[in-house]
Structure formats: C-alpha cells, structure tokens
Amino acid sequence: MTRLIVWRHGNTDWNAGSRVQGQTDVPLNELGRRQAADAAELLVRLRPAAIVASDLSRAADTAAALAALTGLTVSIDERLRERHFGEWQGHTMAEVAAERPEEHARWTAGEDVVGGGVETLDDLGKRVCDALQDAARLAPAGGTVVVATHGAAARQGVGHLLGWRREQMRTLRALQNCHWVELTHDEARGWQMAAYNVGVQAGRPVPPPV
C-alpha cells in the first residue's frame, strides 16, 4: 500500500489578511514557519521516502522543514501551484465581493468564475491530480510520499484523484494551514481517503474531522 500525504503550506501575511494569493509568491510568516516545524515533527514519524512541493516559496519552505528532519531533497513540481486567481490576486475577498460581485457569487456557489482570468476548477484539478500521481510513483511499494501544496489545489487535486464529482468536493472544508490529507492506494481498491484536515494545534495533534 502506498501512502500519499497532501500537505497545505503554513500561514502567510496574506492568509492572515484574507488576501487572495493564487500564484503570487507570498512567503511564510513567523507563524507559518512555526507551523511547518511543528507539523514536520509529526510527519517525520511516517518515514517518508520522498518529498515534493509546489515551486511557490510558501509551499517549498514548508516542505523544507520536513526535509531538514529527514535528509531528503525536496523535488519541485510547478503543477502543484495554487489555483491561478487572475485579477483577484492581491485583493482581499471583501474587495472582490464588492468590486466583482457576479464573479464572487459564482465562486461562492462553487461554479467556475466567468471573467477575471480565474483558472477553471477542472483545469486546476487535472493538473494537480497529474502531479499527485507522479509524486506517488516516487515511493517504493508500501512507501510514503509527502506533497506540499496549497488549499484549493489540494482539494481539487485530491477530488480528481478519487474520482469525485464537483458536488462531492464541495463537502470538504478548506484545509487549515499546515494540515494535510492522508490517501492510500493499493491494487485492489485504488485510491482511498484515510484522513482529512489532520495537523497540529497548540502543540498537539488534531484528530481528523472525517
């Protein structure tokens, strides 16, 4: 059985300010670096065989915290980048809602945004799913691979990997910063979700809500 850990990056100042990051390269803040270090202390116990990350620094630096404990080199894959939010990037969600209400309404409803240069959900899911499948192949049979990526990218990529419809994907709450999804794969059952939104809070592991 192969295990795949899909890990969201740590906190950034734009996260804290509810500002749309998308593919803007925003670094981890002090809290984010601490979150990454705390999460890495748990993930190292899974004895990962490989670590893969988005090339955006908030994900790559999150992965680096685990690499420092394992001695592994982080492989970079641009397909793991966050959803491209086009003209929304750099604005707060309140600004988007006020200035682009029709686009924001479609986003809130889980529909593709028409206008603004926002990447479609299918395009996002397919590219991240392809990257996850390639990452999983880096581990020997029975091994674990940790993939550091982004919130929307993780949800859509995992959903595509599991073959879920868009309506099913919307039942997943957003991953918290530095929390992860655990997936397993075997020849008989294919991909299955073992845990969702697992992480560290106040220095203690948080049990998965599903």
Side-chain angles (χ1 to χ4, degrees), residues 156-173:
Q156 293 301 126
V158 165
H160 270 70
L161 193 65
L162 295 170
W164 287 7
R165 299 186 305 276
R166 188 177 295 190
E167 293 77 14
Q168 290 174 284
M169 296 183 207
R170 279 180 56 77
T171 66
L172 295 175
R173 295 182 62 183

Side-chain angles (χ1 to χ4, degrees), residues 2 4 133 136 161-162 183-186 189-193:
T2 298
L4 186 64
Q133 289 176 317
L161 193 65
L162 295 170
L183 302 167
T184 59
H185 182 275
D186 62 48
R189 290 168 293 188
W191 284 105
Q192 294 185 306
M193 183 184 291

Side-chain angles (χ1 to χ4, degrees), residues 23-38:
Q23 296 188 3
T24 308
D25 197 4
V26 183
L28 295 175
N29 57 22
E30 182 177 351
L31 172 60
R33 291 189 291 272
R34 187 164 65 249
Q35 289 173 332
D38 288 345

